[in-house]
Amino acid sequence: MKKRWLPRAVAGSVVLTLGLTLAACGGSSSGSSSSGSFKVLVYGDASNKVEKQIIDTFNKTSKVKAVLQTIPGADYQQKLQTIINTKQAPDVFFNWGGGSIAPFVKAGLLLPLDDMVAKDPGLKSNFLPSVFNSAVVDGKAYGVPMRGTQPVLLFNNKKVLSDAGLTEPKTWDDLLNAVKVLKAKHITPIALGGGDQWPTLMWYEYMYDRIAGPGLFEKAMGGDKSAWDSADSRAALAKLKELIDAGAFGSNYDSVKYTDGGSVALVAQGKAGFELMGSWYYSQQQQDNPDFAKAGLGYSSFPTVSGGKGDATDIVGNTNNFYSVLKKTKYPDAVAQFLKLQYSDEFVKAQMAIGNLPTTTNTVNFLSTAAIPDYSKFQYDLVKAAPSFQLSWDQAYPQTASEAMHTAVQQFFDGKLDADGFIKAMQALPTS
Amino acid sequence: MTTSAEPRVARRRSIRRSGAAVARPGFAWAAPATLFFLLFAVVPLVLVAVLSFTNWDGLGSPQYAGLDNWKALIHDHVMIQSLWLSVLITVLGVVVQTPLSILLGVWAAGKPRNRAILSAIYFIPLLLSATAISILWRALLDPNFGVPSQAKWLFGDGNLFGHQTSAIGVLVFVGAWQYTPFHTLIYQGATRAIPPVLYQAAEIDGAGRIRQFFSITLPQLRTTMITSMILMVVGGLTTFDTVLILTQGGPGTDTTISAYYMYQQAFKSFDFGGGSAIALVLVVIATIISLIVVKVSGYDKMRSSTEGL
């Protein structure tokens, strides 16, 4: 009794005091329990139309209705963690598996899905095992894959490249050459939403993989902080520095954001040649600039770096998104029915139509019906062939580390931290 | 006149009775405000103080951590820097907004009708939410698609959010754009309240417009200036929404002011213990500053500006 009361009272008061200066967040939809509905909370972006469609399909036949709620991208994790232990908590919520749900599992808030899987083995067997397993915590399954796998790719504006006589860069030297050529034409070689910080992080993830292989980061995550100070780590930082100093990102990338459409528009309008971004970039361009997405958007995997230890077919990004279920949901059976739709043919088709690539076993049957079949096929083959798929660093590390990590990542790009400073900052991050 | 004595006695009695009631109002009168204050200020404050000695991620129960959060805070250079940044943004806000709003306010207090219409238009930014204003300016100042791309002679490469000085400049500018109208309104009202006899006398003495402004208007606005500056200081120290939307404390930690740093620790890094410690530091500093302002300005024993009239 006492234990339950204290955290709540403290939570309420902290929100009051800390929140004195904050604008109140609108919390309008708190469906009453008698109406027979459960809440599905999803990261708000261009992919939401599929979630809407699937929920509509579900509601047609189900007595218990699903209600979709979205939180715009940048604030998703904060809002989720703030509400998840309150009455406003959703029943089902979007996440990145692994590290992103570990604190909730530890706090005993999530429902292990093993019973659901026992009743309907399809909930597990219809997904690629490696993907399903990345939401397994302490031997229990806590997530069912939704949306798709999201490898980070190097996108380009085909017209800008062909006008400059360039082709998609296969090697690091190709990329440096493209930077030089585009810069001479007064085009920003690579668009970067540095104001958001996490797009900058993607460059580190690939550089470290190509030069040191996936082992370095795994070692560092495992608690061996000396990995950051290794020769490979320094070599990766030196290569990044080389790219920055070559003017690859222009000079005002810190004032540009991906989340407000700034960097997206740069590429679409031909003011920049490349952008490194997750595969969701396609649906973003489709929403913002449909004509460009159809005809002008090119893509390739990250170039190889000669002398590096990493496999040239390694990828980084978000392995998948997941739906997890709260223990206190009143409608576990209805939720189980809802989760079944995440491997339905309708779901797979709808995801493919907006350029996402679901990781269900039936995906391969629908590759030809995708919005851009080549794009889906390209990703599918990439993911299938990759010896390593590194989860984004800020998702792999605990949430408590992400702010400090983003700051260090930005400061090294700006030259405010040198390699030593960056290494020190990474060593200071909590790993558990 | 036989009745004259009676009412006097009665009046004296009633005065005594009501006088006693007015001089010492019962606790009941203060109860609602006291209760409100206890519930929404003191209780949360105490709980935050308790929380600053714990580790808590907002999910389970807080774990007692002793002085860990406080030790970390003392050695945290971002915290110290954030205090200086808060002060800097506050001072710059006062320096920029005060002259602007005095001049606009005095001008708007004039008779011609067009001034009333124009001041109504100037007032609009205050009606918008700080969030809307920040999003608006973020878009206007976009380096590739906003004003800087069209005015390269002024903005260079337009990397306003990539350097500390320009990022602070943007914050101060947007703050001034939003709040100057409010302070203009205060000065307009105060200027209208200055007795016209002063100006008439000055005119007879041969004082020109500028002399009148410096010798009559400004001294008469003294108390208003203090009120307005206190509001600016409070507003400056609690600046949050503009930072959240315009710079997110960046580049790096270059515009991470204390209020934003508190939010970052608590709601982005989920370190509610550390965030609470920062919150307490802010409470102490804000209290000290307001005490100093009250003392220095003589706000507690304010003299009338129309003395001797």
PDB file of all heavy atoms in Angstrom, chain A residues 375-395:
ATOM      1  N   TYR A 375      13.175  -1.423 -54.947  1.00  0.00           N
ATOM      2  CA  TYR A 375      13.617  -0.891 -53.656  1.00  0.00           C
ATOM      3  C   TYR A 375      13.415  -1.935 -52.553  1.00  0.00           C
ATOM      4  O   TYR A 375      14.300  -2.174 -51.738  1.00  0.00           O
ATOM      5  CB  TYR A 375      12.821   0.383 -53.344  1.00  0.00           C
ATOM      6  CG  TYR A 375      13.165   1.034 -52.018  1.00  0.00           C
ATOM      7  CD1 TYR A 375      14.436   1.519 -51.768  1.00  0.00           C
ATOM      8  CD2 TYR A 375      12.197   1.185 -51.033  1.00  0.00           C
ATOM      9  CE1 TYR A 375      14.742   2.131 -50.565  1.00  0.00           C
ATOM     10  CE2 TYR A 375      12.490   1.785 -49.828  1.00  0.00           C
ATOM     11  CZ  TYR A 375      13.770   2.257 -49.602  1.00  0.00           C
ATOM     12  OH  TYR A 375      14.061   2.853 -48.412  1.00  0.00           O
ATOM     13  N   SER A 376      12.250  -2.567 -52.565  1.00  0.00           N
ATOM     14  CA  SER A 376      11.973  -3.579 -51.553  1.00  0.00           C
ATOM     15  C   SER A 376      12.885  -4.786 -51.718  1.00  0.00           C
ATOM     16  O   SER A 376      13.389  -5.337 -50.747  1.00  0.00           O
ATOM     17  CB  SER A 376      10.513  -4.013 -51.613  1.00  0.00           C
ATOM     18  OG  SER A 376       9.698  -2.912 -51.315  1.00  0.00           O
ATOM     19  N   LYS A 377      13.102  -5.158 -52.974  1.00  0.00           N
ATOM     20  CA  LYS A 377      13.950  -6.306 -53.259  1.00  0.00           C
ATOM     21  C   LYS A 377      15.385  -6.010 -52.806  1.00  0.00           C
ATOM     22  O   LYS A 377      16.053  -6.853 -52.205  1.00  0.00           O
ATOM     23  CB  LYS A 377      13.893  -6.587 -54.774  1.00  0.00           C
ATOM     24  CG  LYS A 377      14.734  -7.714 -55.276  1.00  0.00           C
ATOM     25  CD  LYS A 377      13.852  -8.924 -55.563  1.00  0.00           C
ATOM     26  CE  LYS A 377      14.581 -10.183 -56.008  1.00  0.00           C
ATOM     27  NZ  LYS A 377      15.983 -10.304 -55.796  1.00  0.00           N
ATOM     28  N   PHE A 378      15.824  -4.790 -53.109  1.00  0.00           N
ATOM     29  CA  PHE A 378      17.173  -4.362 -52.726  1.00  0.00           C
ATOM     30  C   PHE A 378      17.370  -4.501 -51.211  1.00  0.00           C
ATOM     31  O   PHE A 378      18.344  -5.077 -50.741  1.00  0.00           O
ATOM     32  CB  PHE A 378      17.384  -2.917 -53.171  1.00  0.00           C
ATOM     33  CG  PHE A 378      18.660  -2.296 -52.667  1.00  0.00           C
ATOM     34  CD1 PHE A 378      19.875  -2.569 -53.277  1.00  0.00           C
ATOM     35  CD2 PHE A 378      18.645  -1.416 -51.591  1.00  0.00           C
ATOM     36  CE1 PHE A 378      21.047  -1.990 -52.816  1.00  0.00           C
ATOM     37  CE2 PHE A 378      19.812  -0.843 -51.120  1.00  0.00           C
ATOM     38  CZ  PHE A 378      21.023  -1.131 -51.736  1.00  0.00           C
ATOM     39  N   GLN A 379      16.394  -3.971 -50.448  1.00  0.00           N
ATOM     40  CA  GLN A 379      16.484  -4.044 -48.995  1.00  0.00           C
ATOM     41  C   GLN A 379      16.431  -5.485 -48.505  1.00  0.00           C
ATOM     42  O   GLN A 379      17.163  -5.868 -47.604  1.00  0.00           O
ATOM     43  CB  GLN A 379      15.304  -3.304 -48.364  1.00  0.00           C
ATOM     44  CG  GLN A 379      15.424  -1.817 -48.317  1.00  0.00           C
ATOM     45  CD  GLN A 379      14.257  -1.271 -47.520  1.00  0.00           C
ATOM     46  OE1 GLN A 379      14.225  -1.346 -46.304  1.00  0.00           O
ATOM     47  NE2 GLN A 379      13.271  -0.753 -48.224  1.00  0.00           N
ATOM     48  N   TYR A 380      15.510  -6.239 -49.123  1.00  0.00           N
ATOM     49  CA  TYR A 380      15.316  -7.618 -48.689  1.00  0.00           C
ATOM     50  C   TYR A 380      16.617  -8.403 -48.839  1.00  0.00           C
ATOM     51  O   TYR A 380      17.057  -9.087 -47.918  1.00  0.00           O
ATOM     52  CB  TYR A 380      14.196  -8.263 -49.514  1.00  0.00           C
ATOM     53  CG  TYR A 380      13.804  -9.643 -49.043  1.00  0.00           C
ATOM     54  CD1 TYR A 380      12.947  -9.790 -47.956  1.00  0.00           C
ATOM     55  CD2 TYR A 380      14.276 -10.787 -49.681  1.00  0.00           C
ATOM     56  CE1 TYR A 380      12.581 -11.048 -47.509  1.00  0.00           C
ATOM     57  CE2 TYR A 380      13.920 -12.040 -49.247  1.00  0.00           C
ATOM     58  CZ  TYR A 380      13.066 -12.176 -48.164  1.00  0.00           C
ATOM     59  OH  TYR A 380      12.714 -13.428 -47.722  1.00  0.00           O
ATOM     60  N   ASP A 381      17.242  -8.246 -50.006  1.00  0.00           N
ATOM     61  CA  ASP A 381      18.497  -8.962 -50.246  1.00  0.00           C
ATOM     62  C   ASP A 381      19.593  -8.472 -49.308  1.00  0.00           C
ATOM     63  O   ASP A 381      20.394  -9.249 -48.809  1.00  0.00           O
ATOM     64  CB  ASP A 381      18.930  -8.771 -51.705  1.00  0.00           C
ATOM     65  CG  ASP A 381      17.977  -9.472 -52.660  1.00  0.00           C
ATOM     66  OD1 ASP A 381      17.217 -10.345 -52.178  1.00  0.00           O
ATOM     67  OD2 ASP A 381      17.969  -9.129 -53.854  1.00  0.00           O
ATOM     68  N   LEU A 382      19.598  -7.164 -49.080  1.00  0.00           N
ATOM     69  CA  LEU A 382      20.615  -6.568 -48.216  1.00  0.00           C
ATOM     70  C   LEU A 382      20.527  -7.154 -46.810  1.00  0.00           C
ATOM     71  O   LEU A 382      21.520  -7.572 -46.221  1.00  0.00           O
ATOM     72  CB  LEU A 382      20.392  -5.052 -48.181  1.00  0.00           C
ATOM     73  CG  LEU A 382      21.507  -4.158 -47.659  1.00  0.00           C
ATOM     74  CD1 LEU A 382      22.673  -4.198 -48.639  1.00  0.00           C
ATOM     75  CD2 LEU A 382      21.018  -2.729 -47.520  1.00  0.00           C
ATOM     76  N   VAL A 383      19.305  -7.160 -46.282  1.00  0.00           N
ATOM     77  CA  VAL A 383      19.108  -7.636 -44.913  1.00  0.00           C
ATOM     78  C   VAL A 383      19.411  -9.126 -44.821  1.00  0.00           C
ATOM     79  O   VAL A 383      20.010  -9.592 -43.862  1.00  0.00           O
ATOM     80  CB  VAL A 383      17.659  -7.332 -44.443  1.00  0.00           C
ATOM     81  CG1 VAL A 383      17.383  -7.972 -43.088  1.00  0.00           C
ATOM     82  CG2 VAL A 383      17.423  -5.840 -44.386  1.00  0.00           C
ATOM     83  N   LYS A 384      18.982  -9.862 -45.868  1.00  0.00           N
ATOM     84  CA  LYS A 384      19.172 -11.300 -45.863  1.00  0.00           C
ATOM     85  C   LYS A 384      20.659 -11.652 -45.889  1.00  0.00           C
ATOM     86  O   LYS A 384      21.107 -12.587 -45.224  1.00  0.00           O
ATOM     87  CB  LYS A 384      18.472 -11.910 -47.091  1.00  0.00           C
ATOM     88  CG  LYS A 384      17.826 -13.258 -46.800  1.00  0.00           C
ATOM     89  CD  LYS A 384      16.946 -13.659 -47.942  1.00  0.00           C
ATOM     90  CE  LYS A 384      17.457 -14.952 -48.555  1.00  0.00           C
ATOM     91  NZ  LYS A 384      16.782 -15.261 -49.819  1.00  0.00           N
ATOM     92  N   ALA A 385      21.433 -10.862 -46.627  1.00  0.00           N
ATOM     93  CA  ALA A 385      22.846 -11.204 -46.834  1.00  0.00           C
ATOM     94  C   ALA A 385      23.756 -10.650 -45.746  1.00  0.00           C
ATOM     95  O   ALA A 385      24.902 -11.082 -45.616  1.00  0.00           O
ATOM     96  CB  ALA A 385      23.300 -10.683 -48.198  1.00  0.00           C
ATOM     97  N   ALA A 386      23.253  -9.683 -44.957  1.00  0.00           N
ATOM     98  CA  ALA A 386      24.150  -9.002 -44.027  1.00  0.00           C
ATOM     99  C   ALA A 386      24.616  -9.914 -42.898  1.00  0.00           C
ATOM    100  O   ALA A 386      23.799 -10.498 -42.197  1.00  0.00           O
ATOM    101  CB  ALA A 386      23.447  -7.783 -43.440  1.00  0.00           C
ATOM    102  N   PRO A 387      25.935 -10.041 -42.715  1.00  0.00           N
ATOM    103  CA  PRO A 387      26.435 -10.845 -41.598  1.00  0.00           C
ATOM    104  C   PRO A 387      26.151 -10.157 -40.268  1.00  0.00           C
ATOM    105  O   PRO A 387      26.011 -10.814 -39.242  1.00  0.00           O
ATOM    106  CB  PRO A 387      27.944 -10.941 -41.837  1.00  0.00           C
ATOM    107  CG  PRO A 387      28.240 -10.141 -43.037  1.00  0.00           C
ATOM    108  CD  PRO A 387      27.003  -9.474 -43.530  1.00  0.00           C
ATOM    109  N   SER A 388      26.067  -8.828 -40.256  1.00  0.00           N
ATOM    110  CA  SER A 388      25.795  -8.110 -39.027  1.00  0.00           C
ATOM    111  C   SER A 388      24.795  -6.992 -39.291  1.00  0.00           C
ATOM    112  O   SER A 388      24.896  -6.284 -40.289  1.00  0.00           O
ATOM    113  CB  SER A 388      27.089  -7.513 -38.457  1.00  0.00           C
ATOM    114  OG  SER A 388      26.801  -6.409 -37.641  1.00  0.00           O
ATOM    115  N   PHE A 389      23.805  -6.880 -38.418  1.00  0.00           N
ATOM    116  CA  PHE A 389      22.844  -5.777 -38.504  1.00  0.00           C
ATOM    117  C   PHE A 389      22.905  -5.059 -37.160  1.00  0.00           C
ATOM    118  O   PHE A 389      22.285  -5.467 -36.190  1.00  0.00           O
ATOM    119  CB  PHE A 389      21.442  -6.334 -38.771  1.00  0.00           C
ATOM    120  CG  PHE A 389      20.418  -5.283 -39.156  1.00  0.00           C
ATOM    121  CD1 PHE A 389      19.308  -5.630 -39.922  1.00  0.00           C
ATOM    122  CD2 PHE A 389      20.556  -3.948 -38.776  1.00  0.00           C
ATOM    123  CE1 PHE A 389      18.359  -4.674 -40.292  1.00  0.00           C
ATOM    124  CE2 PHE A 389      19.626  -2.998 -39.133  1.00  0.00           C
ATOM    125  CZ  PHE A 389      18.524  -3.366 -39.891  1.00  0.00           C
ATOM    126  N   GLN A 390      23.719  -3.989 -37.106  1.00  0.00           N
ATOM    127  CA  GLN A 390      23.933  -3.270 -35.848  1.00  0.00           C
ATOM    128  C   GLN A 390      22.747  -2.363 -35.535  1.00  0.00           C
ATOM    129  O   GLN A 390      22.401  -1.498 -36.332  1.00  0.00           O
ATOM    130  CB  GLN A 390      25.216  -2.435 -35.941  1.00  0.00           C
ATOM    131  CG  GLN A 390      25.453  -1.500 -34.765  1.00  0.00           C
ATOM    132  CD  GLN A 390      25.561  -2.238 -33.451  1.00  0.00           C
ATOM    133  OE1 GLN A 390      26.375  -3.148 -33.298  1.00  0.00           O
ATOM    134  NE2 GLN A 390      24.712  -1.879 -32.483  1.00  0.00           N
ATOM    135  N   LEU A 391      22.140  -2.575 -34.357  1.00  0.00           N
ATOM    136  CA  LEU A 391      21.056  -1.696 -33.910  1.00  0.00           C
ATOM    137  C   LEU A 391      21.635  -0.303 -33.645  1.00  0.00           C
ATOM    138  O   LEU A 391      22.746  -0.174 -33.139  1.00  0.00           O
ATOM    139  CB  LEU A 391      20.439  -2.266 -32.628  1.00  0.00           C
ATOM    140  CG  LEU A 391      19.298  -1.469 -31.991  1.00  0.00           C
ATOM    141  CD1 LEU A 391      18.100  -1.387 -32.917  1.00  0.00           C
ATOM    142  CD2 LEU A 391      18.881  -2.099 -30.661  1.00  0.00           C
ATOM    143  N   SER A 392      20.870   0.736 -34.003  1.00  0.00           N
ATOM    144  CA  SER A 392      21.322   2.114 -33.778  1.00  0.00           C
ATOM    145  C   SER A 392      21.895   2.246 -32.377  1.00  0.00           C
ATOM    146  O   SER A 392      21.309   1.762 -31.415  1.00  0.00           O
ATOM    147  CB  SER A 392      20.151   3.092 -33.903  1.00  0.00           C
ATOM    148  OG  SER A 392      19.491   2.899 -35.112  1.00  0.00           O
ATOM    149  N   TRP A 393      23.017   2.949 -32.268  1.00  0.00           N
ATOM    150  CA  TRP A 393      23.700   3.042 -30.973  1.00  0.00           C
ATOM    151  C   TRP A 393      22.798   3.618 -29.892  1.00  0.00           C
ATOM    152  O   TRP A 393      22.825   3.183 -28.746  1.00  0.00           O
ATOM    153  CB  TRP A 393      24.936   3.948 -31.103  1.00  0.00           C
ATOM    154  CG  TRP A 393      26.050   3.339 -31.883  1.00  0.00           C
ATOM    155  CD1 TRP A 393      26.043   2.126 -32.523  1.00  0.00           C
ATOM    156  CD2 TRP A 393      27.341   3.910 -32.094  1.00  0.00           C
ATOM    157  NE1 TRP A 393      27.250   1.913 -33.130  1.00  0.00           N
ATOM    158  CE2 TRP A 393      28.069   2.996 -32.891  1.00  0.00           C
ATOM    159  CE3 TRP A 393      27.959   5.104 -31.707  1.00  0.00           C
ATOM    160  CZ2 TRP A 393      29.380   3.241 -33.280  1.00  0.00           C
ATOM    161  CZ3 TRP A 393      29.260   5.345 -32.104  1.00  0.00           C
ATOM    162  CH2 TRP A 393      29.962   4.418 -32.881  1.00  0.00           C
ATOM    163  N   ASP A 394      22.006   4.638 -30.267  1.00  0.00           N
ATOM    164  CA  ASP A 394      21.192   5.284 -29.231  1.00  0.00           C
ATOM    165  C   ASP A 394      20.020   4.408 -28.797  1.00  0.00           C
ATOM    166  O   ASP A 394      19.396   4.667 -27.769  1.00  0.00           O
ATOM    167  CB  ASP A 394      20.719   6.676 -29.665  1.00  0.00           C
ATOM    168  CG  ASP A 394      20.106   6.691 -31.050  1.00  0.00           C
ATOM    169  OD1 ASP A 394      20.096   5.634 -31.712  1.00  0.00           O
ATOM    170  OD2 ASP A 394      19.627   7.757 -31.472  1.00  0.00           O
ATOM    171  N   GLN A 395      19.717   3.347 -29.589  1.00  0.00           N
ATOM    172  CA  GLN A 395      18.705   2.383 -29.140  1.00  0.00           C
ATOM    173  C   GLN A 395      19.350   1.239 -28.369  1.00  0.00           C
ATOM    174  O   GLN A 395      18.729   0.621 -27.508  1.00  0.00           O
ATOM    175  CB  GLN A 395      17.922   1.813 -30.328  1.00  0.00           C
ATOM    176  CG  GLN A 395      17.130   2.840 -31.103  1.00  0.00           C
ATOM    177  CD  GLN A 395      16.089   3.515 -30.255  1.00  0.00           C
ATOM    178  OE1 GLN A 395      15.695   3.020 -29.211  1.00  0.00           O
ATOM    179  NE2 GLN A 395      15.646   4.689 -30.692  1.00  0.00           N
TER     180      GLN A 395
END
